[in-house]
Amino acid sequence: LPEFDNEVHALSLHGSLLYAGGIFTSVNGQARNRLAAFDAASGTLTPWNPNSSGRVNTMVATKSAIFIGGAFKQIGGASHPLAAAIDAETGKVTDWNANATGTEVSALLMDGATLYLGGNFTQMGGQMRNNIAAMDIETGEATKWNPNASSTVLSLASSGNTIFAAGSFSNIGGQS
């Protein structure tokens, strides 16, 4: 079993690999700054090592990338505040950039080619978005969807065409 030197906050399974994110800086005695990947069957640590500058709160896998959200400014030495996409095979940060402004991303939800993000932020994908946003995973641009939560969004879920949000907000989508 993998041994972390600190907390794991997120897991995502992609094929035979299990990805982990959190506040750890070492796994099995090897440097892994807040992100690591393991063979899901054996628990063997892989060379995948994107190197996050801060806490990773959430992650979701697609066919080729692992999208992450948290309280970081850089991934792999590149500026990607709060959200980034990492190549699932190489561990290299992709060109996708949320261009976020705020404190953190706490929740991610993938629906087709749309990535929903929740957290404590004021800008996402080059647009003003208060604490909740939807972005195109190909372009990195914010969609027109803008519920405008009054405070932090901590969790997201979906059913059909409905996105559910939970957090410390008192108003969202123009409703109390």
Side-chain angles (χ1 to χ4, degrees), residues 38-53:
F38 306 89
D39 178 274
S42 69
T44 302
L45 184 65
T46 72
W48 193 83
N49 189 11
N51 190 26
S52 174
S53 68

Side-chain angles (χ1 to χ4, degrees), residues 52-148:
S52 174
S53 68
R55 181 180 66 243
V56 173
N57 295 327
T58 182
M59 53 181 33
V60 63
T62 66
K63 290 179 185 175
S64 61
I66 308 300
F67 285 83
I68 63 169
F72 50 83
K73 301 281 186 213
Q74 297 182 332
I75 300 293
S79 179
H80 285 270
L82 312 185
I86 302 166
D87 186 284
E89 297 296 321
T90 67
K92 304 288 184 200
V93 67
T94 71
D95 290 338
W96 187 90
N97 196 332
N99 294 310
T101 302
T103 307
E104 69 183 312
V105 169
S106 303
L108 295 175
L109 173 69
M110 187 67 67
D111 185 17
T114 303
L115 178 66
Y116 294 90
L117 303 95
N120 186 338
F121 50 82
T122 56
Q123 191 171 34
M124 195 64 68
Q127 301 294 318
M128 296 302 291
R129 295 291 187 268
N130 289 316
N131 308 307
I132 189 167
M135 296 182 65
D136 184 295
I137 63 169
E138 298 299 323
T139 66
E141 294 177 7
T143 70
K144 293 181 184 200
W145 187 79
N146 186 11
N148 192 29

